[in-house]
Amino acid sequence: MAKVDKIVITNFAALTRKYKASGVAQIQGALKRLIAADKARGIATDVADISDVAVMGGLGVDAVAKATNPRQNKIAVDAVYRALSPHYVMLLGAIDVIPHQNIVNLLYQDSAYDDDDRFAFSDLPYACEAGPSRDLARFVGPTRVVGRLPDITRGKDAAYLVKLIDTAASWRAATRREMSNYFAVSARTWMRSTRLSTSQIFGNA
């Protein structure tokens, strides 16, 4: 894979199980349109399939064999990032395509009156250099710009994801005039900070 500005990371094996080959073909067509649109914006974009044995083998790691395995996915995403050093990472797919990482919830208490979630599920570790872990302390310094474009978990129709990708492809920057009529929500405690922020962005508060 060549160096790029943005890498779209997905799992085509998982997408094929959801949408069959015909649905994946539609998704790949939408990704080609996104790549072309990004190129027109001066952004070099490519797609990495972490289920592809040849691709991942070329990066020195195993392909993701179980789409819902957080450890396998973290290793794969890290390998792609290290190989390409992109400015942006876009995870394509819901948690049955690329799962959240399962970080141990430090506030967990087995009580009806406390936080009864043993894990905090998050994409935060994908944005960090540290390897696979459930320890939150290892993920306090994100160094990567990571976003996610999710389809519908356990979805059966690829049309929704295709539409999302095409929306991303057709994005355009708004003019300052278009953004001048803004709406800001704050809290009394943060009012001074919000006034400063809106004044800097819009010229008034």
Side-chain angles (χ1 to χ4, degrees):
M1 288 186 287
K3 297 287 185 179
V4 293
D5 300 309
K6 179 168 73 179
I7 189 68
V8 179
I9 300 178
T10 193
N11 184 320
F12 281 123
L15 288 172
T16 301
R17 285 192 289 272
K18 294 176 72 169
Y19 303 123
K20 306 190 185 313
S22 58
V24 169
Q26 295 174 44
I27 293 167
Q28 290 172 327
L31 287 171
K32 287 180 181 178
R33 293 190 290 274
L34 175 63
I35 290 169
D38 279 349
K39 184 177 181 180
R41 300 176 185 130
I43 301 171
T45 299
D46 202 354
V47 179
D49 177 10
I50 56 177
S51 69
D52 188 307
V53 173
V55 169
M56 300 312 294
L59 300 181
V61 298
D62 292 332
V64 172
K66 185 176 182 180
T68 56
N69 184 294
R71 179 179 178 82
Q72 290 182 18
N73 280 269
K74 173 67 169 133
I75 291 171
V77 169
D78 286 353
V80 172
Y81 185 86
R82 284 194 300 268
L84 303 179
S85 299
H87 298 298
Y88 315 103
V89 174
M90 185 175 84
L91 306 177
L92 181 69
I95 57 173
D96 55 350
V97 177
I98 298 178
H100 293 313
Q101 294 294 301
N102 49 345
I103 301 170
V104 171
N105 182 4
L106 300 179
L107 301 179
Y108 168 72
Q109 295 289 332
D110 192 10
S111 165
Y113 303 101
D114 293 295
D115 191 338
D116 60 356
D117 293 318
R118 289 183 180 272
F119 299 100
F121 295 94
S122 174
D123 282 336
L124 171 64
Y126 292 123
C128 299
E129 300 295 328
S133 177
R134 292 181 177 178
D135 182 4
L136 177 61
R138 300 196 63 195
F139 305 116
V140 294
T143 57
R144 307 168 182 172
V145 180
V146 177
R148 181 187 287 264
L149 196 66
D151 59 336
I152 297 173
T153 304
R154 295 183 295 278
K156 300 296 183 185
D157 186 352
Y160 175 79
L161 184 55
V162 169
K163 184 176 180 180
L164 287 184
I165 298 168
D166 281 336
T167 297
S170 62
W171 169 87
R172 68 173 182 83
T175 65
R176 184 178 180 87
R177 184 171 183 175
E178 288 173 311
M179 296 295 292
S180 62
N181 184 21
Y182 70 91
F183 177 68
V185 177
S186 187
R188 186 180 301 275
T189 305
W190 303 327
M191 192 68 70
R192 182 176 295 180
S193 173
T194 303
R195 287 182 188 278
L196 288 172
S197 296
T198 53
S199 294
Q200 287 292 321
I201 298 169
F202 303 107
N204 62 72

